[in-house]
Amino acid sequence: MAHLSDIHAPTKRNIDFKILVIFGSIAFLLFFFLSVFAGTQGLSFADSLKTLISLVSGGDVSPSAKLILFKVRFPRAFASLLCGAALSVSGLILQLSLNNTLASPGIIGVNAGSGLFVLLVSLVFPYVALARSLGAFFGALLSVLTVYLISKRAGVSKTTLVLSGVAVSSLMTAGIDVIITLRPDIVADKVAFSLGGFQNLNLSSLYIAFPVILASFVVAFVLSGGIDLFQLGDETAFGLGLNVKRCRIAGIIVSGLLAGASVSVCGLLGFVGLLIPNLIRLFSKNNTKRNIILCALLGADFLLFCDVLARVLFFPYELPVGLFLSCLGSPFFIWMLISKKKRLSV
């Protein structure tokens, strides 16, 4: 069965998809390599490469170098690619499910809701990684469903949805600030948590988040055919046999799980779920399944790249990766608002 997006798309679009995948794969290998071999810890690029070669050849390896490489560098690179892919796909599914290209986990309060519940759970179960992860998932789902219900009650529109998200996000962020102010001991670095980053990566959270993200990707693929039909409008999609309400809620839940899993690992990273899906739309046709692949690949590339910059740009100091995302994402969000206003006024 042909995809809905193929009806009006020229055949050459398939070449564009292959080119993007090849480009993304090359960038992925490059940025993953840099992420593993570059950093502010006491292990230079040359020493890192020498350590890895020695391990492969069976030579002697310094215990400290091995520790830095396999307990810090590799987990951090893996966490960056995992969270970048999850946040990007979360943004894509959320935008398609809510029919709003301005929707993203950071803007409509999903990240803030996850962060708030992570801190609330940490007050009760401070040393239980599973509890933190479950709190992140619940907070993400609660936030996105609250935004959806508010916007539906107020009259579903793209503007109402964004404003509802801003209100919910502000409320959740205020709760985060209150908890961090009263109990600063529950986060190792409150600045890193608020901005998002991988300086204080918890491997237990990473182990829990990985299967959740993987399962959510599978479900997103299963839902992709129904999500494609959203482009025709709810009435037409329903007429073609799609249970629109069930598919939309399922998409929102998948998006919330992806965002919640990411927050449990890297804190409140913003704008990844806004930037990557909208950039991909400039180069790729509206095929949800293919765009999920591109979002996962290019989102991983983007966050790996930003994390490397955060580590080496001001060496020997390290900045939270969220700073770079804010510097890139805020102007992009403003540009989107202005461009939409111009198109509507034409």
Side-chain angles (χ1 to χ4, degrees):
M1 180 178 178
H3 284 283
L4 173 67
S5 55
D6 292 334
I7 296 175
H8 301 290
T11 307
K12 66 179 183 179
R13 285 290 191 177
N14 294 328
I15 300 175
D16 292 341
F17 173 74
K18 292 176 182 177
I19 290 174
L20 286 172
V21 170
I22 293 171
F23 169 79
S25 299
I26 294 173
F28 172 80
L29 293 174
L30 174 63
F31 295 146
F32 190 86
F33 179 84
L34 290 175
S35 180
V36 170
F37 293 108
T40 57
Q41 294 92 356
L43 192 65
S44 67
F45 183 92
D47 290 337
S48 301
L49 190 59
K50 182 180 178 181
T51 299
L52 190 61
I53 294 174
S54 298
L55 283 170
V56 173
S57 61
D60 294 331
V61 177
S62 167
S64 61
K66 186 177 179 180
L67 179 67
I68 292 174
L69 201 59
F70 289 96
K71 295 295 184 181
V72 179
R73 298 276 180 84
F74 270 108
R76 180 163 181 166
F78 183 70
S80 298
L81 72 89
L82 193 66
C83 291
L87 288 170
S88 299
V89 174
S90 174
L92 175 70
I93 299 299
L94 196 61
Q95 289 168 15
L96 294 174
S97 298
L98 300 179
N99 191 28
N100 191 331
T101 56
L102 294 177
S104 75
I107 290 174
I108 71 168
V110 179
N111 286 356
S114 292
L116 175 60
F117 277 81
V118 164
L119 297 183
L120 288 173
V121 169
S122 298
L123 291 173
V124 184
F125 306 104
Y127 305 108
V128 183
L130 177 60
R132 289 169 57 90
S133 298
L134 291 176
F137 303 149
F138 181 79
L141 293 178
L142 180 63
S143 295
V144 73
L145 289 175
T146 300
V147 170
Y148 178 66
L149 291 175
I150 291 174
S151 63
K152 188 175 181 180
R153 184 67 182 269
V156 178
S157 70
K158 294 185 177 182
T159 303
T160 304
L161 187 65
V162 172
L163 292 177
S164 300
V166 170
V168 172
S169 181
S170 298
L171 181 62
M172 298 292 185
T173 302
I176 290 173
D177 292 338
V178 168
I179 293 175
I180 290 179
T181 300
L182 297 179
R183 289 291 303 275
D185 55 294
I186 65 172
V187 286
D189 189 338
K190 62 182 181 181
V191 175
F193 179 81
S194 298
L195 292 175
F198 302 95
Q199 295 96 318
N200 301 294
L201 178 63
N202 187 319
L203 292 180
S204 298
S205 298
L206 183 60
Y207 297 147
I208 295 170
F210 175 68
V212 174
I213 292 174
L214 192 62
S216 298
F217 283 161
V218 173
V219 176
F221 268 100
V222 173
L223 294 173
S224 61
I227 292 175
D228 276 335
L229 296 179
F230 287 162
Q231 302 170 67
L232 301 176
D234 288 0
E235 292 183 1
T236 304
F238 181 79
L240 291 173
L242 178 68
N243 189 323
V244 176
K245 183 177 181 181
R246 183 181 299 174
C247 187
R248 177 169 284 119
I249 294 298
I252 290 173
I253 290 173
V254 168
S255 178
L257 287 173
L258 288 169
S262 299
V263 170
S264 69
V265 173
C266 61
L268 307 181
L269 283 179
F271 291 111
V272 179
L274 175 71
L275 275 166
I276 302 302
N278 280 288
L279 286 175
I280 285 175
R281 284 192 185 92
L282 299 176
F283 306 103
S284 177
K285 59 187 176 183
N286 295 323
N287 184 310
T288 303
K289 188 170 293 186
R290 289 183 175 183
N291 286 350
I292 288 174
I293 295 172
L294 291 175
C295 275
L297 184 58
L298 299 183
D301 292 345
F302 179 64
L303 198 51
L304 277 168
F305 174 68
C306 288
D307 187 50
V308 171
L309 283 182
R311 281 187 275 169
V312 303
L313 200 58
F314 296 99
F315 184 84
Y317 302 103
E318 180 178 342
L319 298 177
V321 67
L323 283 177
F324 291 95
L325 295 175
S326 297
C327 292
L328 292 172
S330 297
F332 184 80
F333 184 63
I334 294 171
W335 172 79
M336 285 188 63
L337 291 174
I338 294 174
S339 63
K340 282 181 176 294
K341 179 179 173 62
K342 288 181 178 179
R343 287 198 296 269
L344 289 173
S345 62
V346 173

